[in-house]
Amino acid sequence: MRAGMSYFHETIWKGVPKFLRRVDTALKNLGIDERVPYNAPLIQFSSWMGGDRDGNPRVTPEVTRDVCLLARMMAANLYFSQIEDLMFELSMWRCNDELRARADEIHSSSKKDAKHYIEFWKRIPPNEPYRVILGGVRDKLYNTRERARQLLANGVSDIPEDSTFTNVDQFLEPLELCYRSLCSCGDRSIADGSLLDFLRQVSTFGLSLVRLDIRQESDKHTDVMDAITKHLDIGSYREWSEEHRQEWLLSELRGKRPLFGQDLPKTEEIADVLDTFNVIAELPSDNFGAYIISMATSPSDVLAVELLQRECRVQNPLRVVPLFEKLADLEAAPAAVARLFSIDWYRNRINGKQEVMIGYSDSGKDAGRLSAAWQLYKAQEELVKVAKQFGIKLTMFHGRGGTVGRGGGPTHLAILSQPPDTIHGSLRVTVQGEVIEQSFGEEHLCFRTLQRFTAATLEHGMHPPVSPKPEWRALMDEMAVIATQEYRSIVFQQPRFVEYFRLATPELEYGRMNIGSRPSKRKPSGGIESLRAIPWIFAWTQTRFHLPVWLGFGAAFKHVIEKDVKNLNMLQEMYNRWPFFRVTIDLVEMVFAKGDPRIAALYDKLLVSEELWSFGEKLRTNYEETKRLLLKVAGHKEVLEGDPYLRQRLRLRDSYTTTLNVCQAYTLKRIRDPNFHVNVRPHLSKEYVESTNKPTAELVTLNPLSEYAPGLEDTLILTMKGVAAGMQNTG
């Protein structure tokens, strides 16, 4: 969380007001003499760092509480560091009557001098009314920061809550008063300077810097409900039908009686879920965003969370967002959401707004990229229809990863390829940890990222993409079935696939290292289905084989082209005229430009047992066949023909990445087979060694805590990071 928040400190905090000024200028250039209203922020930020407990035992209720308090303290500190600059600037005496009356009131009641400020620590004279008002804001910010610091350190604070800001409206009110006064006195140009930037920061970041989203797996809520119903002697919630569950949950939601007390028997996991709700109830509601239910399948998943919020006395309940991930769940999502909207209690609760999250990573892992992309497209269309039918404003939350296999790709193209009517001027999207640096690592990157999201969202609304023709849909449906069959027949039904995967890639070593933010599996004993999407994609990316991205495409293309040669012309028409299909194909083509089956063959030869070599050879033949068919559909003679700039960049880095791959393959061999010897030593130039006058061994510091032979873990981590960087997009 500290690492993630550093991006707010370094780039986002100042980047947002700068970007909004650019939007103001763009409006002015169009002849619109209006600014973006500061109280209608174009962009808002939420975070999962410290709130996403889906399969992560390290995210405890205590961590969630500390993360919220830390973010609150950081926000107050950022405002506090800027408020005196604002006071320095607003030295004028001319103001309106409203501000004058407030300044006189504050001045007459102000206490002794406070020495813990850098500037203006002596009593501010009454003929500087703006400074008097802002001095009161500064005092409250100081108390807000110190109270959060004390709560974080000791769990208690001697600073009374009423001397701090408890909600953002309290904070905005004196600033708005200053803004109105400046405008009414003819000082609009001053009001639209640093004060407007400050107002925009307050509206965007609030008192909590970022709102924390909570995420938990639906099964955990089922466990809690099961424990409650058993304790009440009314049966096992887990064994009830969906209809029975909904009926019981609604009867409880409409009633008033508490469901359970302190005597509820709790396992460690049940206590963890309930303690999380207690933390939500304890902290200010503006700390939190949405409560996201991963692996959601049915309306009861949402109603269960609503009931648990009520039981744990959450005063301002979080909006509940179902996350549909697997192929079958995406297919069933529109019906589940329609059922929710048909419940009077639920419609009254959501006040005409609903958010639904769709998962790109797990759907791709479940069915392959082609089928997942098409099902995500269709699910969005259907969800929008359902929302229109019930008069609900629907916001789609796109759970995209950084890599193509996890739904990643260029932001602008990804948004423009969404179905028509699914982005009505608003969308939510994840910026994953593995790409946050390239999106927000520097101020100019932050600016470009905000620009892309805004431009694409506007463009999608003003020039919606074309809807697919019925015959295109029919062909996609047919191809998706074949692609899923091909993907699952290899990944889930091939008896020795898991064994091959673990031998041919660094998946096991990756899981043991402290690289990821959470365990690599949801269930330690499970196979591919329980493996998280990041290590699944990461492992294949390391060997330059990218299997989850392309597997299924070749079989689908081959099937429809052999069935009717006219289908090739239709596929080419789809590629040229349908943004969704074009983006899907272009991203896979880009992955082929980064792939190299010869590298994968080296990993096989060194690491895979001989009886499985033929399996790897078949997959590599499939890879080449898929690549050939993909180029045929795109009408290209070679990969990235349409993007020579990127092709050249990838060629330039290929020799470096290949060197790292070879080094990694031999390192893995030495880790797995201690008897295997190859002469590898750190390469240090003769001049460097002579200039240091130190023995070579002293020039390379190795990780002393590694469970492997000296240097092997260091080499593996460096090659993993290097290959991952080499596989990232450029330009």
Side-chain angles (χ1 to χ4, degrees), residues 662-672 712 715-716:
V662 173
C663 194
Q664 184 182 99
Y666 277 98
T667 304
L668 286 167
K669 177 70 174 170
R670 293 176 72 198
I671 283 171
R672 294 178 189 181
L712 293 183
T715 308
L716 199 53

Side-chain angles (χ1 to χ4, degrees), residues 109 121 179 215 249 290 306 311 362-363 448 462 534 560 573 603 621 633 640 650 670 689 712 723:
S109 64
W121 54 269
Y179 188 86
R215 181 164 78 149
L249 289 166
E306 294 284 12
E311 284 303 309
D362 279 287
S363 56
R448 273 167 45 191
M462 292 188 287
I534 293 180
V560 295
E573 184 193 6
Y603 279 78
T621 305
V633 168
L640 289 185
L650 292 173
R670 293 176 72 198
V689 172
L712 293 183
V723 173

Side-chain angles (χ1 to χ4, degrees), residues 566-579:
K566 288 180 189 167
N567 283 337
L568 178 58
N569 295 332
M570 198 193 294
L571 287 168
Q572 288 170 340
E573 184 193 6
M574 288 158 68
Y575 178 79
N576 291 318
R577 294 183 54 195
W578 186 16

Side-chain angles (χ1 to χ4, degrees), residues 453-505:
F453 277 113
T454 308
T457 306
L458 286 168
E459 198 177 330
H460 190 283
M462 292 188 287
H463 303 291
V466 298
S467 287
K469 294 178 180 176
E471 57 267 32
W472 297 355
R473 286 179 176 281
L475 195 63
M476 278 300 293
D477 284 337
E478 194 175 337
M479 288 201 303
V481 170
I482 301 298
T484 305
Q485 282 172 359
E486 161 89 349
Y487 179 88
R488 287 179 174 170
S489 70
I490 290 172
V491 173
F492 296 112
Q493 288 154 22
Q494 188 68 245
R496 298 190 71 180
F497 176 78
V498 175
E499 183 188 352
Y500 173 78
F501 166 61
R502 295 209 164 124
L503 290 172
T505 70

Side-chain angles (χ1 to χ4, degrees), residues 225 228 232 248-260 274 277-278 280-281 291 302-318 320 345 349:
M225 288 298 164
I228 292 169
L232 295 173
W248 180 74
L249 289 166
L250 282 168
S251 71
E252 293 301 330
L253 283 163
R254 288 177 180 132
K256 296 272 196 251
R257 66 163 187 169
L259 265 182
F260 59 89
L274 292 173
F277 282 104
N278 291 331
I280 296 169
Y291 193 107
V302 174
L303 297 173
V305 172
E306 294 284 12
L307 184 57
L308 287 171
Q309 288 197 89
R310 195 201 73 182
E311 284 303 309
C312 295
R313 296 178 181 80
V314 177
Q315 294 297 321
N316 295 299
L318 277 56
V320 181
W345 180 91
R349 156 80 177 95

Side-chain angles (χ1 to χ4, degrees), residues 433-616:
E434 77 265 30
V435 291
I436 196 168
E437 175 69 28
Q438 67 200 54
S439 298
F440 294 101
E442 292 175 41
E443 210 164 290
H444 74 280
L445 292 176
C446 170
F447 187 91
R448 273 167 45 191
T449 299
L450 300 179
Q451 200 172 33
R452 283 195 196 110
F453 277 113
T454 308
T457 306
L458 286 168
E459 198 177 330
H460 190 283
M462 292 188 287
H463 303 291
V466 298
S467 287
K469 294 178 180 176
E471 57 267 32
W472 297 355
R473 286 179 176 281
L475 195 63
M476 278 300 293
D477 284 337
E478 194 175 337
M479 288 201 303
V481 170
I482 301 298
T484 305
Q485 282 172 359
E486 161 89 349
Y487 179 88
R488 287 179 174 170
S489 70
I490 290 172
V491 173
F492 296 112
Q493 288 154 22
Q494 188 68 245
R496 298 190 71 180
F497 176 78
V498 175
E499 183 188 352
Y500 173 78
F501 166 61
R502 295 209 164 124
L503 290 172
T505 70
E507 186 259 327
L508 287 173
E509 287 77 8
Y510 169 80
R512 281 209 288 271
M513 289 178 187
N514 189 21
I515 293 178
S517 61
R518 58 172 127 211
S520 61
K521 288 185 174 186
R522 281 190 169 95
K523 296 184 178 78
S525 58
I528 299 295
E529 71 289 337
S530 73
L531 186 71
R532 287 198 165 275
I534 293 180
W536 166 241
I537 299 288
F538 185 91
W540 289 111
T541 303
Q542 289 293 303
T543 66
R544 307 273 291 280
F545 199 47
H546 306 284
L547 178 126
V549 180
W550 58 263
L551 186 59
F553 275 85
F557 289 149
K558 191 175 177 184
H559 169 79
V560 295
I561 292 168
E562 284 180 357
K563 183 179 172 186
D564 185 345
V565 77
K566 288 180 189 167
N567 283 337
L568 178 58
N569 295 332
M570 198 193 294
L571 287 168
Q572 288 170 340
E573 184 193 6
M574 288 158 68
Y575 178 79
N576 291 318
R577 294 183 54 195
W578 186 16
F580 161 76
F581 190 71
R582 186 184 188 104
V583 168
T584 304
I585 299 299
D586 282 353
L587 289 175
V588 179
E589 188 180 329
M590 184 262 291
V591 167
F592 275 126
K594 296 174 179 179
D596 191 339
R598 294 170 303 170
I599 297 288
L602 173 68
Y603 279 78
D604 272 18
K605 189 180 173 190
L606 286 172
L607 306 168
V608 176
S609 51
E610 212 167 315
E611 69 265 25
L612 285 172
W613 282 0
S614 61
F615 186 62

Side-chain angles (χ1 to χ4, degrees), residues 5 14 22 32 37 179 217 270 387 424 487 511 534 557 680:
M5 287 299 149
K14 288 185 177 161
R22 176 71 189 87
I32 303 168
Y179 188 86
E217 200 180 345
I270 288 171
H424 278 297
Y487 179 88
I534 293 180
F557 289 149
V680 179

Side-chain angles (χ1 to χ4, degrees), residues 234-285:
I234 55 172
S236 168
Y237 179 86
R238 185 173 282 286
E239 290 168 13
W240 290 351
S241 67
E242 175 61 19
E243 288 71 23
H244 190 177
R245 286 183 184 186
Q246 287 179 33
E247 191 184 316
W248 180 74
L249 289 166
L250 282 168
S251 71
E252 293 301 330
L253 283 163
R254 288 177 180 132
K256 296 272 196 251
R257 66 163 187 169
L259 265 182
F260 59 89
Q262 293 299 315
D263 58 339
L264 177 72
K266 299 173 196 164
T267 62
E268 203 173 304
E269 287 189 337
I270 288 171
D272 189 78
V273 173
L274 292 173
D275 287 347
T276 301
F277 282 104
N278 291 331
V279 165
I280 296 169
E282 169 203 339
L283 293 170
S285 61

